[in-house]
Amino acid sequence: MDNSGRSLISLEDFDSNDILELLRQAAMFEAESYRNTLEGKIVATLFFEPSTRTRLSFETAVNRLGGRVIGFSDAATTSSSKGETLKDTIMMVSNYADLIVMRHYLEGAAKYAGEISPVPIINAGDGANQHPSQTMLDLYSIQKTQGHLDNLNIFLVGDLKYGRTVHSMLTAMRFFNPTFHFVSPEELMMPAEYKDFCKANDIKYVEHFDFNEEIIADADILYMTRVQRERFTDLMEYERVKNLFILRNDMLRNTKPNLRILHPLPRVNEIAQDVDSNPKAYYFQQAKNGIYVREALICNALNLL
Ligand code: CP
């Protein structure tokens, strides 16, 4: 298939130059985000799973750049509820749109769509696998707040088993010599395949099964994640682990001045509300950064930069 343009399925397909160039382009869009770059283009947003930020920021990005959006936010209203296959859905929508942004509950769905689609696909999250556009906005947020991406102590906290954002983060940060700290209950520890990925790529990591003030004292980035109820087959297990690791404002007293707290959101209980007014809290600005990064991703996918 000629999906003229470039799909974004996984950040494994990106090298460090690709990443840094994309961040540079995002900064350019932040400086001047209303343009007509997408005039005459139609972008389809196909969300087979719920979303607030990802879908709305992709759609905001298209609107700011003069394009148009079609799509759905609830697959139950589409013919997939009648049994239409993902393949047929992609083939149909590619008749209507120049680019497809897709979130799907199945791991590998984006890769499959990228293989069959005549138009580029952007993976907006596939099951517990990857969420590459989120990671690019995470990297943009890290670069903005730290001034660079290199040699940082990055603490990933919460659901490291099912959290696709932390899996994508490992993939993208392999070029920048991070030290990762994996902080989770044992039930939600980083899966072996991602620890093997770290070993294969000389990425340093430390595992912690407690979450307290001492552990986070030398963090540059504290990346909190939600325990995702929708990924559990055993809801008793979800109930047991859901509130184990909660960041409270008093835990930040002795943290480094440059520390910033990120979260892909949505948040449930894992960041107490009193953290929001701490200057180290950056998650709402992080979500805003998603617009600029997605403007750059869309234009790249369509070969418009
Ligand atoms: N961060 C993120 O993917 O949020 P949504 O699920 O709201 O899109």
Side-chain angles (χ1 to χ4, degrees):
M1 284 288 172
D2 163 34
N3 51 13
S4 53
R6 183 178 181 184
S7 290
L8 171 60
I9 306 300
S10 163
L11 289 173
E12 277 177 42
D13 305 331
F14 275 45
D15 63 23
S16 59
N17 285 336
D18 293 329
I19 290 172
L20 293 172
E21 175 60 13
L22 204 121
L23 299 183
R24 190 193 64 75
Q25 291 165 354
M28 190 182 76
F29 280 111
E30 180 169 3
E32 189 199 337
S33 46
Y34 290 91
R35 303 166 180 226
N36 288 324
T37 321
L38 293 182
E39 198 168 346
K41 299 291 182 190
I42 296 177
V43 175
T45 53
L46 311 187
F47 277 68
F48 292 87
E49 268 195 338
S51 166
T52 297
R53 277 147 293 274
T54 309
R55 185 174 66 82
L56 294 180
S57 62
F58 266 115
E59 295 186 357
T60 301
V62 175
N63 282 308
R64 285 189 182 218
L65 298 180
R68 290 172 185 244
V69 177
I70 62 169
F72 55 82
S73 56
D74 179 1
T77 65
T78 74
S79 288
S80 65
S81 66
K82 303 174 198 163
E84 185 161 56
T85 62
L86 178 60
K87 177 182 177 185
D88 287 3
T89 303
I90 294 293
M91 296 310 287
M92 286 307 98
V93 175
S94 65
N95 288 329
Y96 312 140
D98 300 288
L99 168 71
I100 295 173
V101 177
M102 184 179 83
R103 171 171 288 186
H104 202 279
Y105 48 86
L106 287 180
E107 281 121 69
K111 184 168 187 293
Y112 173 71
E115 284 164 4
I116 58 158
S117 176
V119 301
I121 301 284
I122 293 181
N123 180 7
D126 60 327
N129 187 32
Q130 298 273 323
H131 193 350
S133 70
Q134 175 69 47
T135 296
M136 288 310 306
L137 79 89
D138 295 341
L139 264 56
Y140 187 66
S141 301
I142 293 171
Q143 190 188 53
K144 258 177 90 171
T145 60
Q146 306 297 315
H148 57 87
L149 294 175
D150 300 300
N151 308 317
L152 295 169
N153 281 331
I154 301 180
F155 284 60
L156 305 177
V157 184
D159 179 355
L160 308 185
K161 179 177 179 184
Y162 300 114
R164 57 193 173 200
T165 62
V166 295
H167 301 157
S168 283
M169 169 82 78
L170 293 185
T171 311
M173 284 301 292
R174 68 193 185 282
F175 304 111
F176 305 108
N177 193 36
T179 300
F180 279 110
H181 292 254
F182 300 151
V183 188
S184 71
E186 284 193 54
E187 294 91 332
L188 297 176
M189 67 198 286
M190 186 62 79
E193 66 181 284
Y194 292 104
K195 289 189 271 190
D196 289 345
F197 176 87
C198 289
K199 287 173 197 153
N201 288 278
D202 291 325
I203 298 173
K204 298 179 283 300
Y205 70 84
V206 185
E207 285 188 290
H208 308 266
F209 300 111
D210 268 327
F211 183 45
N212 57 48
E213 205 171 328
E214 288 74 44
I215 284 174
I216 62 174
D218 65 344
D220 299 306
I221 293 292
L222 193 52
Y223 192 95
M224 301 297 298
T225 64
R226 173 177 67 98
V227 177
Q228 301 173 84
R229 185 177 184 278
E230 64 273 26
R231 308 271 178 238
F232 283 76
T233 46
D234 177 355
L235 284 185
M236 291 294 284
E237 185 175 323
Y238 169 72
E239 290 298 327
R240 197 166 55 247
V241 298
K242 69 177 185 186
N243 286 329
L244 288 180
F245 286 11
I246 296 175
L247 179 66
R248 300 180 320 273
N249 201 32
D250 60 13
M251 292 169 66
L252 297 168
R253 275 176 306 213
N254 297 317
T255 52
K256 291 170 71 173
N258 64 306
L259 171 74
R260 290 297 176 273
I261 301 150
L262 304 186
H263 190 313
L265 303 177
R267 148 181 66 177
V268 184
N269 287 328
E270 59 279 2
I271 300 181
Q273 298 285 332
D274 63 356
V275 176
D276 294 358
S277 52
N278 190 309
K280 293 176 179 174
Y282 192 74
Y283 28 92
F284 296 124
Q285 297 99 312
Q286 176 190 0
K288 185 173 184 185
N289 290 336
I291 298 169
Y292 317 126
V293 168
R294 287 174 172 133
E295 286 174 332
L297 286 171
I298 291 166
C299 292
N300 266 288
L302 290 170
N303 276 335
L304 294 173
L305 284 175

